[in-house]
Amino acid sequence: LMSTMILAFKPSGRHHRMSVSLSLAPRDALIEEYSRVSEGSLLDIDNAARSKYIAELIAEGDLDEEELVTMFNAVAAGAEGIDIDGFVELCSRIDDLFEDDDDKEEGALEVDVDATTLATEILTIIEGKDPIRRDYDGFDEIITKVEALLLTAPVDITTLTEENIVGEWRLAYASSSSFAFNDGYTGVGKTTPGGATFVSLLQHFELKASGAKSFKVIETFATTVGGADLEVTVNGDWSIVQRTEPITRRPYILVEIKPRNVKYGLVVVDGNRVEKGWKTMRILNSLELVYLDSQLRIQRGAGGALFLWRKCES
C-alpha cells in the first residue's frame, strides 16, 4: 500500500535528517491527530502515513516509506491496525531516528561554498527558463544547489520581519507537478477559448502605514486567438505566521495569502468562490519560507514542492 504514495519532491540519496535535538509532541496533540486520521477505528498504515506529523517528514525526505512500514509493523505486532497508544509509540520511534547536533550522518551533503555564491548560481541557472516546466538541462542541478543553500543559510526566523517580504517578486522556478498541470496559478489559461499558455507570475506584497497587508498577483498568459496577452489579477491579504512542528518541535515560518477576488478581461469573481472554491490557487495559500535574501526567496509546500521567487528591481 505504501508503495502507491506519490511524493512531489524527495531528493533521493542526499537529504539528511535534521541534526537537532528533537522532543515528542504532547500526548494530547497526538490524540487529537489520531482521532482525525483513524476515522473511528484502528489506525492502518495508510492513515498513519496521512497524519500531518508523519506525512511532512516523508514528503521532506526525513523519513522514508520502508522505515515507516518497519516501525508500524513492529508496533502493530501482527494486528490489523494500532490504537492511540500504538500511535504514540510509533511517533516515539520516529522521534528516536533523529540525531543530536554533535552527530554526523555518513554521506551527508557537504557544503563548501557560501550562501551568496549558491544563490547567485541558482539565479543564473533559472534565468530565462520556463518557470513551471522541468524539461530542460540544469533541473537536477537546481535541486542540488537549493538543498545546499538551505543547509548553508536557512531563513533566520528571529530576525525576519514583514518588511523583508514587501515588494514585487517574479516566479522564477516551481517544482510542483500540479502547478505545471494547471498551467500556472489560476488555471485560467486552460479555460480560455482557443487556449492560452503561461508566461509569467508576479507577486506584489504591500505593507500599509495602518499595518494592513495587501497583495496583488498578476499572471500573464499568451493567447492562441487574438494575439494579445491575457492578464489575470488576484487581490487579497497576506501575513507571516510562525508555527512549530509537533513531533520535531522545529519552528518555521509560513507566508500565508488569502485571495479575495480574481479579475481578467470583463470577468470579476469574488466571495466564497475565490476564498474557498478556487482549487488551483490553494497551492500558494500557505508556503513555508525556507530562504530569503535581497534577490531570492525560496518557499516549500507541504508536499515538498519548491517555489523560487526573484525580487524585481525597484
Side-chain angles (χ1 to χ4, degrees):
L1 292 173
M2 286 296 298
S3 63
T4 63
M5 294 181 61
I6 300 174
L7 305 182
F9 173 66
K10 183 178 178 183
S12 176
R14 288 184 175 271
H15 198 97
H16 69 284
R17 291 195 175 96
M18 293 174 287
S19 54
V20 296
S21 297
L22 306 177
S23 58
L24 194 62
R27 183 180 174 88
D28 58 348
L30 295 178
I31 291 175
E32 181 179 353
E33 182 62 7
Y34 176 86
S35 299
R36 185 184 73 84
V37 297
S38 64
E39 300 176 347
S41 60
L42 291 177
L43 192 68
D44 61 22
I45 181 67
D46 288 323
N47 283 333
R50 194 163 57 85
S51 159
K52 63 183 179 182
Y53 307 142
I54 298 175
E56 185 168 351
L57 295 176
I58 294 175
E60 294 186 0
D62 290 316
L63 176 69
D64 64 43
E65 297 166 10
E66 184 177 351
E67 288 174 321
L68 177 59
V69 170
T70 299
M71 288 185 287
F72 184 92
N73 289 341
V75 173
E80 294 182 357
I82 57 177
D83 59 13
I84 179 57
D85 291 328
F87 182 61
V88 172
E89 172 63 20
L90 176 63
C91 292
S92 179
R93 293 188 182 210
I94 292 172
D95 186 66
D96 290 341
L97 289 173
F98 291 80
E99 302 173 341
D100 293 329
D101 287 329
D102 296 334
D103 297 331
K104 286 284 186 177
E105 181 179 350
E106 184 178 352
L109 179 65
E110 296 292 334
V111 179
D112 56 2
V113 291
D114 62 88
T116 301
T117 300
L118 282 168
T120 300
E121 291 175 351
I122 291 170
L123 289 170
T124 299
I125 294 171
I126 60 182
E127 180 67 31
K129 298 293 195 304
D130 188 322
I132 66 173
R133 293 174 181 84
R134 298 174 282 181
D135 53 347
Y136 57 81
D137 294 337
F139 169 74
D140 292 336
E141 188 178 4
I142 292 175
I143 298 299
T144 300
K145 289 186 180 296
V146 166
E147 183 184 355
L149 179 60
L150 300 187
L151 289 174
T152 306
V155 66
D156 184 356
I157 67 174
T158 63
T159 59
L160 180 70
T161 65
E162 294 168 335
E163 285 78 6
N164 299 134
I165 306 296
V166 169
E168 190 169 67
W169 301 80
R170 177 183 297 272
L171 179 67
Y173 167 82
S175 71
S176 167
S177 58
S178 63
F179 210 77
F181 176 80
N182 293 320
D183 202 30
Y185 175 50
T186 61
V188 168
K190 300 191 76 170
T191 63
T192 299
T197 304
F198 176 89
V199 175
S200 64
L201 184 69
L202 293 174
Q203 279 186 336
H204 183 82
F205 294 92
E206 184 179 1
L207 179 60
K208 299 180 180 180
S210 63
K213 295 179 284 292
S214 63
F215 83 87
K216 176 186 288 187
V217 173
I218 300 176
E219 186 171 36
T220 303
F221 295 92
T223 58
T224 304
V225 179
D229 285 347
L230 171 65
E231 283 195 354
V232 182
T233 302
V234 182
N235 294 287
D237 311 313
W238 68 280
S239 61
I240 292 178
V241 181
Q242 182 171 333
R243 295 279 189 266
T244 301
E245 290 181 351
I247 288 183
T248 66
R249 311 308 295 168
R250 178 183 71 89
Y252 62 97
I253 290 290
L254 295 174
V255 177
E256 296 190 341
I257 61 176
K258 295 182 179 180
R260 301 299 185 190
N261 60 67
V262 178
K263 302 177 182 180
Y264 56 98
L266 300 177
V267 177
V268 179
V269 186
D270 55 18
N272 285 340
R273 185 177 172 189
V274 173
E275 297 174 21
K276 298 180 180 180
W278 204 294
K279 293 182 179 179
T280 62
M281 296 197 299
R282 293 177 188 172
I283 192 169
L284 297 187
N285 283 359
S286 184
L287 295 177
E288 181 183 357
L289 181 64
V290 293
Y291 178 82
L292 181 67
D293 64 26
S294 61
Q295 295 187 73
L296 178 64
R297 183 175 100 239
I298 302 178
Q299 292 177 270
R300 182 167 51 210
L306 294 171
F307 295 86
L308 278 62
W309 305 85
R310 185 167 194 162
K311 190 72 172 289
C312 299
E313 295 183 3
S314 303

